[in-house]
Amino acid sequence: MKPEVISTPEAMRARSAAWRKNGERIGFVPTMGYLHEGHLSLIREARRHSTRCVVSIYVNPTQFAPGEDLDKYPRDFERDLQLCAEEGVQAVFFPDDTMMYPEGYQTYVYNASLSGLLCGQSRPTHFKGVTTIVAKLFNIVQPDVAVFGQKDAQQALIIRNMVRDLHFPIEIIVAPIVRESDGLAMSSRNRYLTAEQRRQALALYQSIRQTETEWQNGRRDIAGLTRNIRTHIEAHPACRVDYIAFVDARTLQPATESSREILLALAVYVGSTRLIDNTLLTR
Ligand code: AMP
């Protein structure tokens, strides 16, 4: 069955309220659309933890800076709707900008600690846009459980902290990275890559795999591991490193001896497309 398409906050809240009254448990997956297997894995996870599943499709302008890819961000609503139908999604929340940011809009939510780190260095306004839209979507959809992808590890951590700090009564689940068969992390932005760039984009996953192997073998010199990653990525002429970071997975501060879990996070421009990937390393 095709999901119900809901485009106003009022109608969405009414739908959720009616479900809740019937004792349903609401699962939620926020997306920017152009759905791929990564998104679908989140939907399946949400469905495992709920009896009604809502997917939002909204390309949120406040998380794009001027000059980023807001205007060319890929969209295919009919295909997304079909995929949601196949996955058993009951409602798709599909608002437009006038619904989400009407004239006079002036309130933002931001994380004062983590927003300026890692991706926040090259995208200083990005996470403020993310936390603002996710807080709004949580208030509109009122889910019991929401699922995010580990692909955007910093985003998932910032959302977890927002839910804790602002007392949202919502369980947050973070689902693993879904990859193409050759290892490239799935992303709506992969479609910007030329065939040659697509080949060179594999450098991210290759250097993550290589580092995982060395880590498993007991190698711990982060400076040396970082140099090797940089050398491997820079051997690909289409690639330009934005950052290579070994950080504490909870604080995003540089990893130390006491970090229980270390996030190895990469951001690399392949041509003009900025790709991210990561893995967790445990002590
Ligand atoms: P987006 O549409 O890019 O905003 O992503 C929506 C959600 O899907 C976010 O929680 C992402 O972390 C998640 N996601 C995107 N790509 C992947 C992937 N390859 N594997 C798992 N989750 C993903």
Side-chain angles (χ1 to χ4, degrees), residues 221-244:
D221 79 303
I222 285 176
L225 290 167
T226 305
R227 267 197 308 277
N228 288 354
I229 295 171
R230 182 175 291 277
T231 303
H232 180 70
I233 291 174
E234 287 179 347
H236 298 75
C239 297
R240 184 166 58 83
V241 171
D242 181 11
Y243 66 77
I244 301 165

mmCIF file of all heavy atoms in Angstrom, residues 221-244:
data_model
loop_
_atom_site.group_PDB
_atom_site.id
_atom_site.type_symbol
_atom_site.label_atom_id
_atom_site.label_comp_id
_atom_site.label_asym_id
_atom_site.label_seq_id
_atom_site.Cartn_x
_atom_site.Cartn_y
_atom_site.Cartn_z
ATOM 1 N N ASP A 221 50.014 3.792 16.806
ATOM 2 C CA ASP A 221 50.566 5.149 16.645
ATOM 3 C C ASP A 221 49.711 5.932 15.645
ATOM 4 O O ASP A 221 49.759 5.748 14.431
ATOM 5 C CB ASP A 221 52.058 5.121 16.268
ATOM 6 C CG ASP A 221 52.314 4.831 14.822
ATOM 7 O OD1 ASP A 221 51.833 3.763 14.383
ATOM 8 O OD2 ASP A 221 52.935 5.645 14.142
ATOM 9 N N ILE A 222 48.889 6.785 16.255
ATOM 10 C CA ILE A 222 47.863 7.492 15.486
ATOM 11 C C ILE A 222 48.501 8.444 14.468
ATOM 12 O O ILE A 222 48.004 8.575 13.343
ATOM 13 C CB ILE A 222 46.897 8.209 16.467
ATOM 14 C CG1 ILE A 222 45.994 7.144 17.101
ATOM 15 C CG2 ILE A 222 46.078 9.281 15.764
ATOM 16 C CD1 ILE A 222 45.047 7.644 18.163
ATOM 17 N N ALA A 223 49.618 9.036 14.823
ATOM 18 C CA ALA A 223 50.281 9.953 13.876
ATOM 19 C C ALA A 223 50.698 9.194 12.614
ATOM 20 O O ALA A 223 50.468 9.659 11.489
ATOM 21 C CB ALA A 223 51.485 10.610 14.541
ATOM 22 N N GLY A 224 51.268 8.013 12.809
ATOM 23 C CA GLY A 224 51.708 7.208 11.662
ATOM 24 C C GLY A 224 50.531 6.705 10.843
ATOM 25 O O GLY A 224 50.553 6.731 9.603
ATOM 26 N N LEU A 225 49.493 6.256 11.524
ATOM 27 C CA LEU A 225 48.297 5.774 10.820
ATOM 28 C C LEU A 225 47.678 6.910 9.999
ATOM 29 O O LEU A 225 47.253 6.716 8.859
ATOM 30 C CB LEU A 225 47.278 5.225 11.830
ATOM 31 C CG LEU A 225 47.669 3.906 12.517
ATOM 32 C CD1 LEU A 225 46.755 3.617 13.706
ATOM 33 C CD2 LEU A 225 47.616 2.734 11.523
ATOM 34 N N THR A 226 47.651 8.101 10.601
ATOM 35 C CA THR A 226 47.075 9.262 9.904
ATOM 36 C C THR A 226 47.895 9.581 8.643
ATOM 37 O O THR A 226 47.329 9.849 7.580
ATOM 38 C CB THR A 226 47.061 10.490 10.847
ATOM 39 O OG1 THR A 226 46.363 10.133 12.041
ATOM 40 C CG2 THR A 226 46.371 11.683 10.193
ATOM 41 N N ARG A 227 49.241 9.542 8.794
ATOM 42 C CA ARG A 227 50.114 9.815 7.633
ATOM 43 C C ARG A 227 49.847 8.808 6.521
ATOM 44 O O ARG A 227 49.748 9.177 5.354
ATOM 45 C CB ARG A 227 51.587 9.739 8.061
ATOM 46 C CG ARG A 227 52.192 11.081 8.465
ATOM 47 C CD ARG A 227 53.720 11.021 8.473
ATOM 48 N NE ARG A 227 54.238 9.886 9.260
ATOM 49 C CZ ARG A 227 54.398 9.903 10.593
ATOM 50 N NH1 ARG A 227 54.072 10.980 11.287
ATOM 51 N NH2 ARG A 227 54.873 8.838 11.225
ATOM 52 N N ASN A 228 49.707 7.539 6.882
ATOM 53 C CA ASN A 228 49.469 6.512 5.854
ATOM 54 C C ASN A 228 48.148 6.751 5.122
ATOM 55 O O ASN A 228 48.055 6.555 3.913
ATOM 56 C CB ASN A 228 49.446 5.118 6.495
ATOM 57 C CG ASN A 228 50.830 4.679 6.921
ATOM 58 O OD1 ASN A 228 51.826 5.354 6.636
ATOM 59 N ND2 ASN A 228 50.895 3.552 7.623
ATOM 60 N N ILE A 229 47.130 7.129 5.872
ATOM 61 C CA ILE A 229 45.824 7.393 5.244
ATOM 62 C C ILE A 229 45.968 8.556 4.252
ATOM 63 O O ILE A 229 45.516 8.494 3.110
ATOM 64 C CB ILE A 229 44.751 7.717 6.307
ATOM 65 C CG1 ILE A 229 44.504 6.504 7.197
ATOM 66 C CG2 ILE A 229 43.460 8.183 5.647
ATOM 67 C CD1 ILE A 229 43.616 6.778 8.412
ATOM 68 N N ARG A 230 46.640 9.625 4.725
ATOM 69 C CA ARG A 230 46.803 10.795 3.863
ATOM 70 C C ARG A 230 47.563 10.426 2.589
ATOM 71 O O ARG A 230 47.175 10.796 1.478
ATOM 72 C CB ARG A 230 47.521 11.921 4.624
ATOM 73 C CG ARG A 230 47.683 13.200 3.807
ATOM 74 C CD ARG A 230 48.286 14.321 4.635
ATOM 75 N NE ARG A 230 47.388 14.806 5.667
ATOM 76 C CZ ARG A 230 46.419 15.697 5.465
ATOM 77 N NH1 ARG A 230 46.203 16.190 4.262
ATOM 78 N NH2 ARG A 230 45.658 16.075 6.467
ATOM 79 N N THR A 231 48.640 9.659 2.761
ATOM 80 C CA THR A 231 49.452 9.279 1.596
ATOM 81 C C THR A 231 48.612 8.468 0.610
ATOM 82 O O THR A 231 48.637 8.707 -0.601
ATOM 83 C CB THR A 231 50.666 8.435 2.058
ATOM 84 O OG1 THR A 231 51.397 9.208 3.003
ATOM 85 C CG2 THR A 231 51.558 8.063 0.895
ATOM 86 N N HIS A 232 47.827 7.523 1.144
ATOM 87 C CA HIS A 232 47.012 6.695 0.252
ATOM 88 C C HIS A 232 45.972 7.550 -0.483
ATOM 89 O O HIS A 232 45.806 7.422 -1.700
ATOM 90 C CB HIS A 232 46.314 5.586 1.042
ATOM 91 C CG HIS A 232 45.469 4.709 0.158
ATOM 92 N ND1 HIS A 232 46.018 3.839 -0.759
ATOM 93 C CD2 HIS A 232 44.121 4.605 0.016
ATOM 94 C CE1 HIS A 232 45.043 3.226 -1.417
ATOM 95 N NE2 HIS A 232 43.884 3.676 -0.966
ATOM 96 N N ILE A 233 45.305 8.418 0.245
ATOM 97 C CA ILE A 233 44.244 9.209 -0.392
ATOM 98 C C ILE A 233 44.842 10.187 -1.400
ATOM 99 O O ILE A 233 44.339 10.349 -2.520
ATOM 100 C CB ILE A 233 43.402 9.937 0.681
ATOM 101 C CG1 ILE A 233 42.589 8.900 1.475
ATOM 102 C CG2 ILE A 233 42.464 10.963 0.025
ATOM 103 C CD1 ILE A 233 41.826 9.460 2.644
ATOM 104 N N GLU A 234 45.962 10.807 -1.021
ATOM 105 C CA GLU A 234 46.543 11.817 -1.916
ATOM 106 C C GLU A 234 47.205 11.198 -3.149
ATOM 107 O O GLU A 234 47.529 11.916 -4.097
ATOM 108 C CB GLU A 234 47.523 12.702 -1.134
ATOM 109 C CG GLU A 234 46.760 13.650 -0.211
ATOM 110 C CD GLU A 234 47.661 14.550 0.627
ATOM 111 O OE1 GLU A 234 48.879 14.283 0.679
ATOM 112 O OE2 GLU A 234 47.135 15.506 1.221
ATOM 113 N N ALA A 235 47.375 9.871 -3.144
ATOM 114 C CA ALA A 235 47.870 9.211 -4.358
ATOM 115 C C ALA A 235 46.790 9.190 -5.451
ATOM 116 O O ALA A 235 47.048 8.795 -6.583
ATOM 117 C CB ALA A 235 48.308 7.784 -4.028
ATOM 118 N N HIS A 236 45.579 9.611 -5.080
ATOM 119 C CA HIS A 236 44.475 9.678 -6.051
ATOM 120 C C HIS A 236 44.263 11.138 -6.426
ATOM 121 O O HIS A 236 43.810 11.928 -5.582
ATOM 122 C CB HIS A 236 43.205 9.090 -5.442
ATOM 123 C CG HIS A 236 43.347 7.643 -5.079
ATOM 124 N ND1 HIS A 236 44.066 7.212 -3.978
ATOM 125 C CD2 HIS A 236 42.882 6.527 -5.693
ATOM 126 C CE1 HIS A 236 44.023 5.891 -3.931
ATOM 127 N NE2 HIS A 236 43.318 5.452 -4.961
ATOM 128 N N PRO A 237 44.585 11.520 -7.661
ATOM 129 C CA PRO A 237 44.603 12.945 -8.023
ATOM 130 C C PRO A 237 43.243 13.649 -7.896
ATOM 131 O O PRO A 237 43.202 14.861 -7.701
ATOM 132 C CB PRO A 237 45.098 12.954 -9.476
ATOM 133 C CG PRO A 237 45.069 11.540 -9.928
ATOM 134 C CD PRO A 237 45.090 10.665 -8.743
ATOM 135 N N ALA A 238 42.134 12.892 -7.964
ATOM 136 C CA ALA A 238 40.823 13.543 -7.840
ATOM 137 C C ALA A 238 40.492 13.849 -6.376
ATOM 138 O O ALA A 238 39.542 14.578 -6.092
ATOM 139 C CB ALA A 238 39.732 12.652 -8.445
ATOM 140 N N CYS A 239 41.273 13.281 -5.439
ATOM 141 C CA CYS A 239 40.921 13.374 -4.013
ATOM 142 C C CYS A 239 41.710 14.466 -3.295
ATOM 143 O O CYS A 239 42.917 14.610 -3.503
ATOM 144 C CB CYS A 239 41.196 12.037 -3.314
ATOM 145 S SG CYS A 239 40.197 10.682 -3.932
ATOM 146 N N ARG A 240 41.042 15.196 -2.455
ATOM 147 C CA ARG A 240 41.697 16.201 -1.601
ATOM 148 C C ARG A 240 41.163 16.020 -0.184
ATOM 149 O O ARG A 240 39.945 16.066 0.040
ATOM 150 C CB ARG A 240 41.378 17.605 -2.116
ATOM 151 C CG ARG A 240 42.074 18.729 -1.362
ATOM 152 C CD ARG A 240 41.986 20.037 -2.151
ATOM 153 N NE ARG A 240 40.587 20.419 -2.420
ATOM 154 C CZ ARG A 240 39.799 21.056 -1.564
ATOM 155 N NH1 ARG A 240 40.233 21.376 -0.367
ATOM 156 N NH2 ARG A 240 38.558 21.374 -1.904
ATOM 157 N N VAL A 241 42.083 15.795 0.770
ATOM 158 C CA VAL A 241 41.660 15.517 2.147
ATOM 159 C C VAL A 241 41.102 16.782 2.793
ATOM 160 O O VAL A 241 41.727 17.844 2.739
ATOM 161 C CB VAL A 241 42.854 14.995 2.979
ATOM 162 C CG1 VAL A 241 42.481 14.909 4.461
ATOM 163 C CG2 VAL A 241 43.319 13.642 2.453
ATOM 164 N N ASP A 242 39.910 16.701 3.377
ATOM 165 C CA ASP A 242 39.407 17.786 4.227
ATOM 166 C C ASP A 242 39.908 17.529 5.642
ATOM 167 O O ASP A 242 40.600 18.351 6.221
ATOM 168 C CB ASP A 242 37.879 17.847 4.147
ATOM 169 C CG ASP A 242 37.311 18.974 5.007
ATOM 170 O OD1 ASP A 242 38.098 19.820 5.481
ATOM 171 O OD2 ASP A 242 36.081 19.011 5.221
ATOM 172 N N TYR A 243 39.583 16.362 6.207
ATOM 173 C CA TYR A 243 40.201 15.991 7.477
ATOM 174 C C TYR A 243 40.322 14.480 7.612
ATOM 175 O O TYR A 243 39.568 13.720 6.979
ATOM 176 C CB TYR A 243 39.458 16.577 8.691
ATOM 177 C CG TYR A 243 38.055 16.051 8.919
ATOM 178 C CD1 TYR A 243 37.838 14.792 9.478
ATOM 179 C CD2 TYR A 243 36.944 16.826 8.604
ATOM 180 C CE1 TYR A 243 36.556 14.317 9.698
ATOM 181 C CE2 TYR A 243 35.657 16.350 8.822
ATOM 182 C CZ TYR A 243 35.472 15.099 9.364
ATOM 183 O OH TYR A 243 34.205 14.624 9.574
ATOM 184 N N ILE A 244 41.295 14.096 8.427
ATOM 185 C CA ILE A 244 41.456 12.703 8.870
ATOM 186 C C ILE A 244 41.532 12.821 10.381
ATOM 187 O O ILE A 244 42.423 13.493 10.898
ATOM 188 C CB ILE A 244 42.770 12.083 8.350
ATOM 189 C CG1 ILE A 244 42.804 12.106 6.815
ATOM 190 C CG2 ILE A 244 42.963 10.661 8.894
ATOM 191 C CD1 ILE A 244 44.199 11.852 6.234
#
